[in-house]
Amino acid sequence: MKKSKKNKKYELCFFPLIGIVIGAVLYAFDMFCREYGFDRSFFALVGAVLPVLMSGGIFLAGFMNTADALFQAREKKKQSEGGIKEGTFGALTMAVYFLLYAGALILFRKNSQIFLLAISYIISRTLCVMAFLWFPAGKQEESSVLVFSKSQRGMLRAIFSIILALCFCTCFIISSIMGTLEILIAMWIWTYYYYMSKKSFGGVTKASIGYFLILCELAIALFVGIFGLILP
């Protein structure tokens, strides 16, 4: 058990690398579609599925479960009768996610948009790890959040702060205005996730971290898709 938990701590360091791979594959797919004249709707539909397929769908499952849990908790407060069955709202949320994500990708026309989207996969995963390092652990799932020693936590915080700073600098280099706004959106959602997870689950859980990642990537994709055509 100790060995398994120790290995999981080191696995956190590979999260940003997964984002790099996803970003590179999506960029290569975009170049492929442009080279051979495929319609942008084809790029959008396949591009919306690629990140999920490459990550194994783990984060999407967490997104669905968390969205459903938040909805059910809200329904209980209203004391409603005959509401949506458990699990249904999560499925509906997933469908909305794919529609919005594909809709956002259809709007991608510039290379700068693709570059900013590729960086978002690294940012979202870096912030996921930083949530484990900075935010309180959830009360319901003790096994979902790793326990770090003071030295480990300090070292990992420094490493991932540097990675995040490099990502932010890259965004600014790609586009000073769009890059800055992308940074603000990512940090705003991270801040929202802190208060939401603490209020609803007592802190970070394995499922809710997937909720943050999907929400962060969707928000950035929508923003870059819509405003990337307008702003420089």
Side-chain angles (χ1 to χ4, degrees):
M1 180 64 71
K2 290 183 178 180
K3 185 177 180 181
S4 177
K5 287 186 176 181
K6 185 177 180 181
N7 290 336
K8 286 184 179 180
K9 292 176 184 178
Y10 289 112
E11 286 175 5
L12 292 177
C13 297
F14 292 97
F15 268 38
L17 295 179
I18 297 173
I20 293 174
V21 174
I22 294 175
V25 170
L26 198 66
Y27 175 77
F29 181 64
D30 177 64
M31 293 296 100
F32 172 82
C33 290
R34 295 189 188 195
E35 178 68 24
Y36 293 97
F38 285 100
D39 190 78
R40 297 308 293 174
S41 60
F42 175 73
F43 165 75
L45 292 172
V46 177
V49 177
L50 279 177
V52 177
L53 293 177
M54 296 183 68
S55 62
I58 298 174
F59 296 112
L60 185 61
F63 172 73
M64 292 171 57
N65 293 335
T66 302
D68 190 68
L70 292 173
F71 176 79
Q72 295 299 333
R74 187 177 62 186
E75 288 296 293
K76 287 180 181 178
K77 287 182 180 180
K78 293 180 180 179
Q79 297 181 347
S80 62
E81 297 180 0
I84 297 178
K85 293 183 179 180
E86 186 174 349
T88 305
F89 186 77
L92 291 173
T93 306
M94 180 186 67
V96 172
Y97 159 74
F98 278 116
L99 287 173
L100 289 176
Y101 206 91
L105 293 185
I106 289 178
L107 301 175
F108 279 60
R109 297 289 188 274
K110 303 177 184 177
N111 285 332
S112 60
Q113 289 176 294
I114 298 295
F115 291 145
L116 288 172
L117 182 68
I119 294 295
S120 74
Y121 297 119
I122 308 172
I123 292 174
S124 62
R125 282 159 177 75
T126 301
L127 288 175
C128 277
V129 178
M130 294 178 74
F132 279 108
L133 298 173
W134 262 278
F135 298 170
K139 298 176 181 178
Q140 297 178 351
E141 300 181 33
E142 296 180 359
S143 61
S144 298
V145 182
L146 302 176
V147 179
F148 300 92
S149 66
K150 188 175 181 180
S151 60
Q152 286 176 329
R153 189 177 295 273
M155 180 183 67
L156 289 173
R157 281 179 174 179
I159 291 173
F160 283 97
S161 293
I162 293 172
I163 295 174
L164 189 65
L166 291 174
C167 290
F168 287 174
C169 290
T170 304
C171 287
F172 187 81
I173 292 172
I174 294 172
S175 173
S176 58
I177 297 177
M178 287 293 297
T180 300
L181 292 175
E182 178 174 326
I183 293 168
L184 293 175
I185 289 173
M187 296 310 299
W188 179 80
I189 294 176
W190 197 61
T191 303
Y192 154 75
Y193 172 66
Y194 167 76
Y195 289 105
M196 183 280 292
S197 62
K198 189 176 181 180
K199 178 181 178 181
S200 302
F201 308 107
V204 178
T205 65
K206 188 176 181 180
S208 68
I209 205 72
Y211 176 84
F212 161 75
L213 184 138
I214 294 295
L215 190 63
C216 182
E217 292 181 354
L218 175 60
I220 292 176
L222 286 169
F223 169 75
V224 175
I226 296 171
F227 292 97
L229 296 174
I230 304 171
L231 299 175

